[in-house]
Amino acid sequence: MRANPAVIKRLSVYLQLLRQLPPETANISATVIAKSIGYGDVQVRKDLASVSGEGKPRTGYEVGNLIKSLEEYLGFNYPKKAIIVGAGRLGTALLEYDGFKSWGLEIAAAFDADESKTDKSKRIYPVSDLKEYCKSGDIKIGIITVPASAAQQVCDLICETPIKAVWSFAPTHLYVPEGVEVQYENMAASLANILCNID
Amino acid sequence: MRANPAVIKRLSVYLQLLRQLPPETANISATVIAKSIGYGDVQVRKDLASVSGEGKPRTGYEVGNLIKSLEEYLGFNYPKKAIIVGAGRLGTALLEYDGFKSWGLEIAAAFDADESKTDKSKRIYPVSDLKEYCKSGDIKIGIITVPASAAQQVCDLICETPIKAVWSFAPTHLYVPEGVEVQYENMAASLANILCNID
């Protein structure tokens, strides 16, 4: 069963909030969480009930346990492996960012059509090696950081490997075979939401 | 009045699709748009009606006009200025990415607390210059690309300028004064949505 994306998003926001609490914070109530984030009280209670059961009256949730429950529910408790296609600035930024592990992602390698970018010490390989690299099925996620004009071609190539999940940063729609899921990191949509609210 | 974020997001997806059509495509129907993206027919018709009026029977929408209407509605028709705080890999990737202009954004400069990163030829300045740089009110958007642990402090600093819109890439919740809007580029939420659907 597929989880509801809006619920998953809220759960990850709770986790972000909880992880940034001072370490001495032992308990937190749904009301405080709701107020901190600007969600409704009932919403927070309902979301957390599905993951962790009810908070205790007066004291609320035990922070450490709630973090653990959320991490397990969201699949952040052990990292899954990904590869990047497109070793430009964004691709290499993602490749070298070591914060992804706490969000359940380990980026194993990056690939680029420009062979002059190949650098094994930085885990950057020619794109012609991609299918061989992914054939064991160990790599679960393909991240696309090429320009929009090249994204469909790269996506097709990823879909020839056992990878079933694509995370695309290219501002374009992608066509995939049945059974493959695409998650768009749609910066253009974020931007539109910002710009629409500027006078 | 604030626009509905879900509608705005869909409108930006239509625009992405339309922009990638072959230049010889003069017309497109709501049905074809719906099928290409995987949205419902009725949804697409309703969304586009609010922006551009109805499509013509049989031929549908004139692509060039529809793109123009969407760009105007979404505020992509003339770029608004932004600054970045955090000139690490992600920050400089965004700073040097020249695709933002077609999405209504012009990044004027980046700032970093590490003064050794200052490089005027690359539009990177010390963060101590931020308030002075933004005081004219010309800069509309503050982009945060510092680590989560530094994000609130940077956000507070941005809120001391006339900027009323924050776009945060830091995986953490931010507190802002009334009248300031935060748009989170929540990669952790995207990741959670990917990971939840991997076996």
Side-chain angles (χ1 to χ4, degrees), chain A residues 16-155:
Chain A
Q16 285 173 28
L17 178 79
L18 295 170
R19 281 181 172 173
Q20 79 179 115
L21 291 173
E24 63 272 20
T25 317
N27 295 282
I28 191 165
S29 69
T31 312
V32 170
I33 295 175
K35 218 171 192 168
S36 302
I37 306 181
Y39 292 172
D41 231 75
V42 175
Q43 178 86 81
V44 173
R45 269 174 231 283
K46 200 180 143 194
D47 288 340
L48 293 180
S50 66
V51 173
S52 167
E54 310 253 318
K56 282 186 195 152
R58 307 184 70 90
T59 55
Y61 299 91
E62 202 277 300
V63 173
N65 285 339
L66 186 53
I67 288 178
K68 222 175 131 192
S69 303
L70 283 165
E71 287 177 343
E72 273 172 29
Y73 189 91
L74 294 170
F76 289 177
N77 50 336
Y78 74 98
K80 282 154 196 99
K81 284 191 182 171
I83 54 88
I84 289 175
V85 185
R89 285 202 156 258
L90 178 61
T92 51
L94 296 177
L95 181 65
E96 295 187 10
Y97 176 57
D98 56 8
F100 279 131
K101 278 195 186 147
S102 64
W103 300 104
L105 188 77
E106 182 190 332
I107 303 179
F111 297 85
D112 203 286
D114 176 359
E115 298 208 358
S116 74
K117 288 188 179 160
T118 298
D119 183 344
K120 286 179 187 175
S121 71
K122 289 181 177 164
R123 296 169 288 140
I124 302 174
Y125 304 94
V127 77
S128 52
D129 290 359
L130 179 73
K131 278 175 75 173
E132 179 68 22
Y133 191 94
C134 297
K135 73 174 182 186
S136 74
D138 194 30
I139 306 292
K140 301 295 184 193
I141 301 157
I143 303 173
I144 297 178
T145 53
V146 296
S149 57
Q152 184 62 54
Q153 201 188 339
V154 162
C155 184

Side-chain angles (χ1 to χ4, degrees), chain A residues 125-190:
Chain A
Y125 304 94
V127 77
S128 52
D129 290 359
L130 179 73
K131 278 175 75 173
E132 179 68 22
Y133 191 94
C134 297
K135 73 174 182 186
S136 74
D138 194 30
I139 306 292
K140 301 295 184 193
I141 301 157
I143 303 173
I144 297 178
T145 53
V146 296
S149 57
Q152 184 62 54
Q153 201 188 339
V154 162
C155 184
D156 293 345
L157 183 65
I158 290 173
C159 292
E160 291 175 22
T161 74
I163 291 172
K164 298 288 177 217
V166 170
W167 189 15
S168 177
F169 287 75
T172 188
H173 181 73
L174 296 172
Y175 301 87
V176 289
E178 186 127 5
V180 176
E181 295 287 336
V182 183
Q183 173 80 37
Y184 297 95
E185 196 64 34
N186 198 329
M187 294 196 200
S190 299

Side-chain angles (χ1 to χ4, degrees), chain B residues 13-25:
Chain B
V13 172
Y14 303 143
L15 180 57
Q16 285 172 29
L17 178 78
L18 295 170
R19 282 181 172 174
Q20 78 179 116
L21 291 173
E24 63 272 19
T25 317

